[in-house]
Amino acid sequence: MPLNAMPDAPASGATKARILDAAESLFMAHGFEATSLRAITASADVNLAAVHYHFGSKEELFQSVLARRLDPMNRARLELLARLESEAAPSPLPCERVLTAFLSPALTLARDPARGGKDFLRLLGRAYADPAPFIRHFLAEQYGVTIARFKAAFARALPHLPARELSWRLHFIMGALSYTLAGTDALKLIAELNPHDTANDEVLLRRLAPFLLAGLTAPLPDPSTVTRSLRGESARRRRAAPAARKPV
Amino acid sequence: MPLNAMPDAPASGATKARILDAAESLFMAHGFEATSLRAITASADVNLAAVHYHFGSKEELFQSVLARRLDPMNRARLELLARLESEAAPSPLPCERVLTAFLSPALTLARDPARGGKDFLRLLGRAYADPAPFIRHFLAEQYGVTIARFKAAFARALPHLPARELSWRLHFIMGALSYTLAGTDALKLIAELNPHDTANDEVLLRRLAPFLLAGLTAPLPDPSTVTRSLRGESARRRRAAPAARKPV
DNA sequence: GTACGATTCAAACAAACGTTTGAATCGTAC
DNA sequence: GTACGATTCAAACGTTTGTTTGAATCGTAC
C-alpha cells in the first residue's frame, strides 16, 4: 500500500516539519525557557526523543525554528534592495524605498506562505528581547550582513545624517518593529484597537512605515530640548519666554 | 553588642531588600523563567525559604521587583504631566512636552536613585515582550491609567490625528522605548556604537526623543505609498514618474 | 525473505525546579 | 529569665526538566 505522499498522514516523513511547526507555535506563546520539549512533542504527536534525533538539542531546535523563516526573509530583503537600487541607479535609492525593502518582506511573511507566518513574527519579536547568549549569537550571525547592507543604503539616502545617529535610529526602528511584531496584548493597554486591526498585518505595517520614516528623517537632536524641563526650573522659563522653545 | 544599624551587615533586617536587588539583577540578565530561586537566594546570601516567607511565590517576587520602581516612575510621570499642563493652561500642552513628561522620569530612573536603575529598565523592557499572563495582567493594571492619561494629553496636542492612529503610534513609541531600554547587545548587530553611548542613558534618550516626536507628528499614511513597490511593478512607474512620489 | 541504515518508541537517567515543613534562632516585652 | 511573635535555617517534598539508552519498527535494496 502507498504509505507516502499522504497529505495529512501523521506517520509520513514530515516528523521534522511537524516538530518545527509545533515548536514555533509554542515558543511563540510561552517563550523558549517556558516551553518544554514534552509539550512540543505532544503537540506535534511525535516521540520525545525525536527532537534530539533530528535536531540534537532544544537550543538547536530553537535555532532551526528561527532559521527556517528568517533565512528566506533576509534573502528577500537583500534581493529587493538590490533590485530597487539598480532600478534607481545612478541616483541613490530614496530613504522611504530603502525602508520599504526592509519592511515589505516581513509583511509578506506575515501574510503567511503556508502557515505560521504571524506566529513566527511574534516569536522573532520575542527573540530580539532575549538575552540568552545562544539566541544573541544566532541573531547576530543571521542579521549581521543584512543590517550592514541596509545601513549602507540608508547612509547613501541620508548623507547629512552622522553615522552614529543613523545607527541609533536603525536601533529604534528594530525596536518598534520587533515590539509591534511581538504583538503582545499590550495593545489592550493603549486602547480600543479593534480585532480587525490586529488581525490585518498589512494595515499594521502601513501605519508603521510612515512613523518610522518620519523618525528616520527627523532633524538632529538639540542638546537642550529634551531634558530641559526635567530638573524643575521650567515653570518660570515657560511663562517668561514661551516663544524661545525650539520647534524640535 | 549593637547588632543593628550596621551599614554592610548581611544579618540586618534588609533581607527583603537584598532579595529584591538580587532578583532584579538576575531577572534582568536571564529572564523570569530562566532565573531560579536558588540563584537569587544564593546571590542575595539568604535562605531559599526566605523568598516564600517574604513574598509568597516566585511570581509575586517578580511583581514586587517591578512594582518597587514602576510605581514611583509612573507617579512621577503623571505629576510631571499635570505640572506642565497647568503651567501651559489654558492652551494645550504641546506634543513634545507631553513626550518629555513621559520619557524624562524613565531617564531619571535610568540615572539611578540608589542602584539598579539601568538593570531595572532592561528588565522592564523584557517584561513588555513577555506573554506570561501574570506579567501582562500586572503591567496592564500598573500602566492602564498612566497610558490613558497620556493618550488624552497627546490627543489634545494632536487634534488632527484620529484616535486609532494615535493608539498605534503610542504603541510604536512603547516598542522603541522598551526595546531600547531592554538594551540587549543587539546594539552590536547594528554598528559601532561605542560603550560610552550605551553607558550614558541621557544621551540615549536625547536621541530617542526627536525620533519618537517625528514619528508621532508624521503625516497620515497614504494607502498607496508603502506597499506599492512590493508587488514587482515598481520599475516602470519609478522611471516614468519620479516626481509623483509623495514626500512622506 | 534477508539484511541494513534510518527512524520511532517506551523507559529511564540525573539534575534542577518551586514549594513546604518543622525546628532553631533572634529581638523584644514582660 | 521567661514567653512569644517574627524571622531564619537545613532538609526534604513531589514534579518536571533536557537528555540518553537500547530495543522495536519501518522502508528499501539485494
PDB file of all heavy atoms in Angstrom, chain D residues 9-20:
ATOM      1  P    DC D   9      19.851  32.571  57.509  1.00  0.00           P
ATOM      2  OP1  DC D   9      21.234  32.944  57.856  1.00  0.00           O
ATOM      3  OP2  DC D   9      19.276  32.962  56.214  1.00  0.00           O
ATOM      4  O5'  DC D   9      19.717  30.990  57.652  1.00  0.00           O
ATOM      5  C5'  DC D   9      20.013  30.372  58.910  1.00  0.00           C
ATOM      6  C4'  DC D   9      19.469  28.953  58.968  1.00  0.00           C
ATOM      7  O4'  DC D   9      18.038  28.994  59.044  1.00  0.00           O
ATOM      8  C3'  DC D   9      19.766  28.101  57.737  1.00  0.00           C
ATOM      9  O3'  DC D   9      20.954  27.367  57.974  1.00  0.00           O
ATOM     10  C2'  DC D   9      18.530  27.195  57.605  1.00  0.00           C
ATOM     11  C1'  DC D   9      17.549  27.730  58.646  1.00  0.00           C
ATOM     12  N1   DC D   9      16.158  27.917  58.145  1.00  0.00           N
ATOM     13  C2   DC D   9      15.170  27.006  58.487  1.00  0.00           C
ATOM     14  O2   DC D   9      15.468  26.042  59.195  1.00  0.00           O
ATOM     15  N3   DC D   9      13.910  27.182  58.024  1.00  0.00           N
ATOM     16  C4   DC D   9      13.624  28.242  57.259  1.00  0.00           C
ATOM     17  N4   DC D   9      12.369  28.391  56.834  1.00  0.00           N
ATOM     18  C5   DC D   9      14.619  29.205  56.898  1.00  0.00           C
ATOM     19  C6   DC D   9      15.863  28.998  57.354  1.00  0.00           C
ATOM     20  P    DA D  10      21.745  26.727  56.743  1.00  0.00           P
ATOM     21  OP1  DA D  10      23.193  26.802  57.035  1.00  0.00           O
ATOM     22  OP2  DA D  10      21.211  27.276  55.487  1.00  0.00           O
ATOM     23  O5'  DA D  10      21.285  25.200  56.849  1.00  0.00           O
ATOM     24  C5'  DA D  10      21.330  24.555  58.123  1.00  0.00           C
ATOM     25  C4'  DA D  10      20.519  23.272  58.081  1.00  0.00           C
ATOM     26  O4'  DA D  10      19.116  23.589  57.905  1.00  0.00           O
ATOM     27  C3'  DA D  10      20.896  22.304  56.963  1.00  0.00           C
ATOM     28  O3'  DA D  10      20.928  20.980  57.475  1.00  0.00           O
ATOM     29  C2'  DA D  10      19.781  22.513  55.933  1.00  0.00           C
ATOM     30  C1'  DA D  10      18.590  22.866  56.809  1.00  0.00           C
ATOM     31  N9   DA D  10      17.596  23.737  56.160  1.00  0.00           N
ATOM     32  C8   DA D  10      17.836  24.834  55.391  1.00  0.00           C
ATOM     33  N7   DA D  10      16.753  25.435  54.959  1.00  0.00           N
ATOM     34  C5   DA D  10      15.726  24.670  55.478  1.00  0.00           C
ATOM     35  C6   DA D  10      14.320  24.771  55.379  1.00  0.00           C
ATOM     36  N6   DA D  10      13.704  25.743  54.698  1.00  0.00           N
ATOM     37  N1   DA D  10      13.580  23.846  56.031  1.00  0.00           N
ATOM     38  C2   DA D  10      14.197  22.894  56.705  1.00  0.00           C
ATOM     39  N3   DA D  10      15.508  22.685  56.877  1.00  0.00           N
ATOM     40  C4   DA D  10      16.219  23.618  56.228  1.00  0.00           C
ATOM     41  P    DA D  11      21.378  19.750  56.574  1.00  0.00           P
ATOM     42  OP1  DA D  11      22.090  18.797  57.439  1.00  0.00           O
ATOM     43  OP2  DA D  11      22.048  20.308  55.389  1.00  0.00           O
ATOM     44  O5'  DA D  11      19.992  19.109  56.111  1.00  0.00           O
ATOM     45  C5'  DA D  11      18.990  18.851  57.090  1.00  0.00           C
ATOM     46  C4'  DA D  11      17.667  18.508  56.413  1.00  0.00           C
ATOM     47  O4'  DA D  11      17.022  19.704  55.937  1.00  0.00           O
ATOM     48  C3'  DA D  11      17.782  17.569  55.206  1.00  0.00           C
ATOM     49  O3'  DA D  11      17.171  16.326  55.504  1.00  0.00           O
ATOM     50  C2'  DA D  11      17.078  18.309  54.074  1.00  0.00           C
ATOM     51  C1'  DA D  11      16.261  19.360  54.802  1.00  0.00           C
ATOM     52  N9   DA D  11      16.018  20.583  54.024  1.00  0.00           N
ATOM     53  C8   DA D  11      16.954  21.375  53.426  1.00  0.00           C
ATOM     54  N7   DA D  11      16.453  22.407  52.792  1.00  0.00           N
ATOM     55  C5   DA D  11      15.078  22.286  52.990  1.00  0.00           C
ATOM     56  C6   DA D  11      13.992  23.061  52.563  1.00  0.00           C
ATOM     57  N6   DA D  11      14.117  24.169  51.832  1.00  0.00           N
ATOM     58  N1   DA D  11      12.751  22.654  52.937  1.00  0.00           N
ATOM     59  C2   DA D  11      12.637  21.548  53.670  1.00  0.00           C
ATOM     60  N3   DA D  11      13.584  20.729  54.124  1.00  0.00           N
ATOM     61  C4   DA D  11      14.794  21.169  53.748  1.00  0.00           C
ATOM     62  P    DA D  12      17.286  15.064  54.578  1.00  0.00           P
ATOM     63  OP1  DA D  12      17.398  13.879  55.431  1.00  0.00           O
ATOM     64  OP2  DA D  12      18.306  15.369  53.565  1.00  0.00           O
ATOM     65  O5'  DA D  12      15.870  15.028  53.839  1.00  0.00           O
ATOM     66  C5'  DA D  12      14.691  15.104  54.629  1.00  0.00           C
ATOM     67  C4'  DA D  12      13.551  15.638  53.789  1.00  0.00           C
ATOM     68  O4'  DA D  12      13.892  16.957  53.326  1.00  0.00           O
ATOM     69  C3'  DA D  12      13.251  14.829  52.527  1.00  0.00           C
ATOM     70  O3'  DA D  12      12.074  14.056  52.723  1.00  0.00           O
ATOM     71  C2'  DA D  12      13.050  15.896  51.436  1.00  0.00           C
ATOM     72  C1'  DA D  12      13.104  17.211  52.190  1.00  0.00           C
ATOM     73  N9   DA D  12      13.709  18.304  51.431  1.00  0.00           N
ATOM     74  C8   DA D  12      15.028  18.452  51.096  1.00  0.00           C
ATOM     75  N7   DA D  12      15.283  19.545  50.417  1.00  0.00           N
ATOM     76  C5   DA D  12      14.049  20.154  50.283  1.00  0.00           C
ATOM     77  C6   DA D  12      13.640  21.348  49.657  1.00  0.00           C
ATOM     78  N6   DA D  12      14.480  22.167  49.024  1.00  0.00           N
ATOM     79  N1   DA D  12      12.330  21.664  49.723  1.00  0.00           N
ATOM     80  C2   DA D  12      11.495  20.834  50.367  1.00  0.00           C
ATOM     81  N3   DA D  12      11.760  19.686  50.988  1.00  0.00           N
ATOM     82  C4   DA D  12      13.067  19.401  50.919  1.00  0.00           C
ATOM     83  P    DC D  13      11.515  13.154  51.578  1.00  0.00           P
ATOM     84  OP1  DC D  13      10.878  11.997  52.238  1.00  0.00           O
ATOM     85  OP2  DC D  13      12.598  12.946  50.591  1.00  0.00           O
ATOM     86  O5'  DC D  13      10.369  14.028  50.894  1.00  0.00           O
ATOM     87  C5'  DC D  13       9.358  14.623  51.713  1.00  0.00           C
ATOM     88  C4'  DC D  13       8.466  15.507  50.856  1.00  0.00           C
ATOM     89  O4'  DC D  13       9.154  16.750  50.583  1.00  0.00           O
ATOM     90  C3'  DC D  13       8.143  14.922  49.489  1.00  0.00           C
ATOM     91  O3'  DC D  13       6.953  14.139  49.598  1.00  0.00           O
ATOM     92  C2'  DC D  13       7.918  16.164  48.636  1.00  0.00           C
ATOM     93  C1'  DC D  13       8.762  17.242  49.322  1.00  0.00           C
ATOM     94  N1   DC D  13      10.016  17.604  48.587  1.00  0.00           N
ATOM     95  C2   DC D  13      10.047  18.778  47.842  1.00  0.00           C
ATOM     96  O2   DC D  13       9.041  19.496  47.804  1.00  0.00           O
ATOM     97  N3   DC D  13      11.191  19.113  47.172  1.00  0.00           N
ATOM     98  C4   DC D  13      12.255  18.315  47.235  1.00  0.00           C
ATOM     99  N4   DC D  13      13.339  18.690  46.581  1.00  0.00           N
ATOM    100  C5   DC D  13      12.232  17.101  48.000  1.00  0.00           C
ATOM    101  C6   DC D  13      11.113  16.785  48.636  1.00  0.00           C
ATOM    102  P    DG D  14       6.716  12.847  48.735  1.00  0.00           P
ATOM    103  OP1  DG D  14       5.629  12.070  49.358  1.00  0.00           O
ATOM    104  OP2  DG D  14       8.046  12.243  48.496  1.00  0.00           O
ATOM    105  O5'  DG D  14       6.190  13.430  47.346  1.00  0.00           O
ATOM    106  C5'  DG D  14       5.104  14.347  47.344  1.00  0.00           C
ATOM    107  C4'  DG D  14       5.106  15.167  46.062  1.00  0.00           C
ATOM    108  O4'  DG D  14       6.339  15.929  45.956  1.00  0.00           O
ATOM    109  C3'  DG D  14       4.998  14.312  44.779  1.00  0.00           C
ATOM    110  O3'  DG D  14       4.019  14.892  43.932  1.00  0.00           O
ATOM    111  C2'  DG D  14       6.410  14.396  44.181  1.00  0.00           C
ATOM    112  C1'  DG D  14       6.897  15.755  44.660  1.00  0.00           C
ATOM    113  N9   DG D  14       8.354  15.850  44.769  1.00  0.00           N
ATOM    114  C8   DG D  14       9.200  14.940  45.353  1.00  0.00           C
ATOM    115  N7   DG D  14      10.462  15.304  45.295  1.00  0.00           N
ATOM    116  C5   DG D  14      10.438  16.518  44.639  1.00  0.00           C
ATOM    117  C6   DG D  14      11.509  17.387  44.290  1.00  0.00           C
ATOM    118  O6   DG D  14      12.714  17.248  44.489  1.00  0.00           O
ATOM    119  N1   DG D  14      11.037  18.526  43.617  1.00  0.00           N
ATOM    120  C2   DG D  14       9.722  18.787  43.331  1.00  0.00           C
ATOM    121  N2   DG D  14       9.465  19.922  42.686  1.00  0.00           N
ATOM    122  N3   DG D  14       8.721  17.989  43.659  1.00  0.00           N
ATOM    123  C4   DG D  14       9.151  16.875  44.310  1.00  0.00           C
ATOM    124  P    DT D  15       3.573  14.157  42.567  1.00  0.00           P
ATOM    125  OP1  DT D  15       2.105  14.108  42.546  1.00  0.00           O
ATOM    126  OP2  DT D  15       4.394  12.915  42.458  1.00  0.00           O
ATOM    127  O5'  DT D  15       4.054  15.144  41.421  1.00  0.00           O
ATOM    128  C5'  DT D  15       4.778  16.261  41.805  1.00  0.00           C
ATOM    129  C4'  DT D  15       5.112  17.231  40.712  1.00  0.00           C
ATOM    130  O4'  DT D  15       6.518  17.581  40.958  1.00  0.00           O
ATOM    131  C3'  DT D  15       5.039  16.754  39.266  1.00  0.00           C
ATOM    132  O3'  DT D  15       4.553  17.812  38.471  1.00  0.00           O
ATOM    133  C2'  DT D  15       6.487  16.356  38.956  1.00  0.00           C
ATOM    134  C1'  DT D  15       7.308  17.286  39.832  1.00  0.00           C
ATOM    135  N1   DT D  15       8.591  16.698  40.320  1.00  0.00           N
ATOM    136  C2   DT D  15       9.773  17.400  40.094  1.00  0.00           C
ATOM    137  O2   DT D  15       9.811  18.474  39.539  1.00  0.00           O
ATOM    138  N3   DT D  15      10.894  16.766  40.562  1.00  0.00           N
ATOM    139  C4   DT D  15      10.966  15.534  41.209  1.00  0.00           C
ATOM    140  O4   DT D  15      12.045  15.081  41.569  1.00  0.00           O
ATOM    141  C5   DT D  15       9.707  14.882  41.394  1.00  0.00           C
ATOM    142  C7   DT D  15       9.657  13.540  42.088  1.00  0.00           C
ATOM    143  C6   DT D  15       8.583  15.483  40.946  1.00  0.00           C
ATOM    144  P    DT D  16       4.157  17.599  36.921  1.00  0.00           P
ATOM    145  OP1  DT D  16       3.041  18.503  36.580  1.00  0.00           O
ATOM    146  OP2  DT D  16       4.070  16.144  36.677  1.00  0.00           O
ATOM    147  O5'  DT D  16       5.462  18.154  36.171  1.00  0.00           O
ATOM    148  C5'  DT D  16       5.924  19.468  36.442  1.00  0.00           C
ATOM    149  C4'  DT D  16       7.330  19.650  35.896  1.00  0.00           C
ATOM    150  O4'  DT D  16       8.256  18.854  36.669  1.00  0.00           O
ATOM    151  C3'  DT D  16       7.496  19.177  34.434  1.00  0.00           C
ATOM    152  O3'  DT D  16       7.802  20.288  33.622  1.00  0.00           O
ATOM    153  C2'  DT D  16       8.644  18.155  34.504  1.00  0.00           C
ATOM    154  C1'  DT D  16       9.309  18.484  35.830  1.00  0.00           C
ATOM    155  N1   DT D  16      10.015  17.336  36.462  1.00  0.00           N
ATOM    156  C2   DT D  16      11.370  17.415  36.695  1.00  0.00           C
ATOM    157  O2   DT D  16      12.026  18.389  36.404  1.00  0.00           O
ATOM    158  N3   DT D  16      11.927  16.310  37.287  1.00  0.00           N
ATOM    159  C4   DT D  16      11.270  15.135  37.656  1.00  0.00           C
ATOM    160  O4   DT D  16      11.865  14.205  38.176  1.00  0.00           O
ATOM    161  C5   DT D  16       9.856  15.116  37.366  1.00  0.00           C
ATOM    162  C7   DT D  16       9.037  13.895  37.728  1.00  0.00           C
ATOM    163  C6   DT D  16       9.301  16.202  36.794  1.00  0.00           C
ATOM    164  P    DT D  17       7.972  20.116  32.034  1.00  0.00           P
ATOM    165  OP1  DT D  17       7.391  21.327  31.429  1.00  0.00           O
ATOM    166  OP2  DT D  17       7.501  18.770  31.632  1.00  0.00           O
ATOM    167  O5'  DT D  17       9.551  20.171  31.859  1.00  0.00           O
ATOM    168  C5'  DT D  17      10.283  21.284  32.403  1.00  0.00           C
ATOM    169  C4'  DT D  17      11.754  20.985  32.445  1.00  0.00           C
ATOM    170  O4'  DT D  17      12.016  19.977  33.445  1.00  0.00           O
ATOM    171  C3'  DT D  17      12.296  20.371  31.164  1.00  0.00           C
ATOM    172  O3'  DT D  17      12.632  21.389  30.244  1.00  0.00           O
ATOM    173  C2'  DT D  17      13.551  19.641  31.668  1.00  0.00           C
ATOM    174  C1'  DT D  17      13.210  19.298  33.107  1.00  0.00           C
ATOM    175  N1   DT D  17      12.992  17.832  33.376  1.00  0.00           N
ATOM    176  C2   DT D  17      14.041  17.046  33.747  1.00  0.00           C
ATOM    177  O2   DT D  17      15.181  17.470  33.851  1.00  0.00           O
ATOM    178  N3   DT D  17      13.719  15.739  33.984  1.00  0.00           N
ATOM    179  C4   DT D  17      12.464  15.146  33.886  1.00  0.00           C
ATOM    180  O4   DT D  17      12.281  13.955  34.119  1.00  0.00           O
ATOM    181  C5   DT D  17      11.405  16.032  33.478  1.00  0.00           C
ATOM    182  C7   DT D  17      10.002  15.508  33.345  1.00  0.00           C
ATOM    183  C6   DT D  17      11.715  17.308  33.250  1.00  0.00           C
ATOM    184  P    DG D  18      12.717  21.027  28.672  1.00  0.00           P
ATOM    185  OP1  DG D  18      12.605  22.291  27.928  1.00  0.00           O
ATOM    186  OP2  DG D  18      11.749  19.937  28.418  1.00  0.00           O
ATOM    187  O5'  DG D  18      14.189  20.448  28.488  1.00  0.00           O
ATOM    188  C5'  DG D  18      15.309  21.235  28.886  1.00  0.00           C
ATOM    189  C4'  DG D  18      16.587  20.419  28.805  1.00  0.00           C
ATOM    190  O4'  DG D  18      16.479  19.276  29.687  1.00  0.00           O
ATOM    191  C3'  DG D  18      16.908  19.843  27.429  1.00  0.00           C
ATOM    192  O3'  DG D  18      18.317  19.897  27.206  1.00  0.00           O
ATOM    193  C2'  DG D  18      16.394  18.410  27.513  1.00  0.00           C
ATOM    194  C1'  DG D  18      16.625  18.065  28.976  1.00  0.00           C
ATOM    195  N9   DG D  18      15.632  17.108  29.494  1.00  0.00           N
ATOM    196  C8   DG D  18      14.273  17.163  29.361  1.00  0.00           C
ATOM    197  N7   DG D  18      13.645  16.168  29.922  1.00  0.00           N
ATOM    198  C5   DG D  18      14.655  15.398  30.468  1.00  0.00           C
ATOM    199  C6   DG D  18      14.589  14.193  31.198  1.00  0.00           C
ATOM    200  O6   DG D  18      13.601  13.533  31.526  1.00  0.00           O
ATOM    201  N1   DG D  18      15.857  13.743  31.567  1.00  0.00           N
ATOM    202  C2   DG D  18      17.040  14.395  31.268  1.00  0.00           C
ATOM    203  N2   DG D  18      18.149  13.817  31.700  1.00  0.00           N
ATOM    204  N3   DG D  18      17.108  15.526  30.589  1.00  0.00           N
ATOM    205  C4   DG D  18      15.889  15.970  30.219  1.00  0.00           C
ATOM    206  P    DT D  19      18.940  19.335  25.807  1.00  0.00           P
ATOM    207  OP1  DT D  19      20.201  20.047  25.552  1.00  0.00           O
ATOM    208  OP2  DT D  19      17.880  19.344  24.792  1.00  0.00           O
ATOM    209  O5'  DT D  19      19.289  17.833  26.177  1.00  0.00           O
ATOM    210  C5'  DT D  19      20.101  17.577  27.326  1.00  0.00           C
ATOM    211  C4'  DT D  19      20.222  16.088  27.572  1.00  0.00           C
ATOM    212  O4'  DT D  19      18.956  15.568  28.036  1.00  0.00           O
ATOM    213  C3'  DT D  19      20.585  15.252  26.328  1.00  0.00           C
ATOM    214  O3'  DT D  19      21.899  14.721  26.499  1.00  0.00           O
ATOM    215  C2'  DT D  19      19.511  14.170  26.271  1.00  0.00           C
ATOM    216  C1'  DT D  19      18.892  14.217  27.651  1.00  0.00           C
ATOM    217  N1   DT D  19      17.457  13.787  27.709  1.00  0.00           N
ATOM    218  C2   DT D  19      17.122  12.660  28.428  1.00  0.00           C
ATOM    219  O2   DT D  19      17.937  11.984  29.018  1.00  0.00           O
ATOM    220  N3   DT D  19      15.784  12.350  28.423  1.00  0.00           N
ATOM    221  C4   DT D  19      14.774  13.037  27.772  1.00  0.00           C
ATOM    222  O4   DT D  19      13.611  12.652  27.832  1.00  0.00           O
ATOM    223  C5   DT D  19      15.196  14.199  27.035  1.00  0.00           C
ATOM    224  C7   DT D  19      14.189  15.017  26.293  1.00  0.00           C
ATOM    225  C6   DT D  19      16.506  14.518  27.041  1.00  0.00           C
ATOM    226  P    DT D  20      22.569  13.856  25.336  1.00  0.00           P
ATOM    227  OP1  DT D  20      24.032  14.049  25.394  1.00  0.00           O
ATOM    228  OP2  DT D  20      21.822  14.106  24.080  1.00  0.00           O
ATOM    229  O5'  DT D  20      22.257  12.371  25.800  1.00  0.00           O
ATOM    230  C5'  DT D  20      22.533  11.990  27.150  1.00  0.00           C
ATOM    231  C4'  DT D  20      22.117  10.537  27.385  1.00  0.00           C
ATOM    232  O4'  DT D  20      20.672  10.460  27.488  1.00  0.00           O
ATOM    233  C3'  DT D  20      22.529   9.562  26.266  1.00  0.00           C
ATOM    234  O3'  DT D  20      23.350   8.552  26.825  1.00  0.00           O
ATOM    235  C2'  DT D  20      21.199   9.012  25.724  1.00  0.00           C
ATOM    236  C1'  DT D  20      20.230   9.279  26.866  1.00  0.00           C
ATOM    237  N1   DT D  20      18.814   9.517  26.447  1.00  0.00           N
ATOM    238  C2   DT D  20      17.828   8.683  26.902  1.00  0.00           C
ATOM    239  O2   DT D  20      18.028   7.738  27.630  1.00  0.00           O
ATOM    240  N3   DT D  20      16.560   9.001  26.460  1.00  0.00           N
ATOM    241  C4   DT D  20      16.208  10.046  25.628  1.00  0.00           C
ATOM    242  O4   DT D  20      15.054  10.236  25.291  1.00  0.00           O
ATOM    243  C5   DT D  20      17.309  10.879  25.185  1.00  0.00           C
ATOM    244  C7   DT D  20      17.050  12.040  24.281  1.00  0.00           C
ATOM    245  C6   DT D  20      18.543  10.580  25.608  1.00  0.00           C
TER     246       DT D  20
END
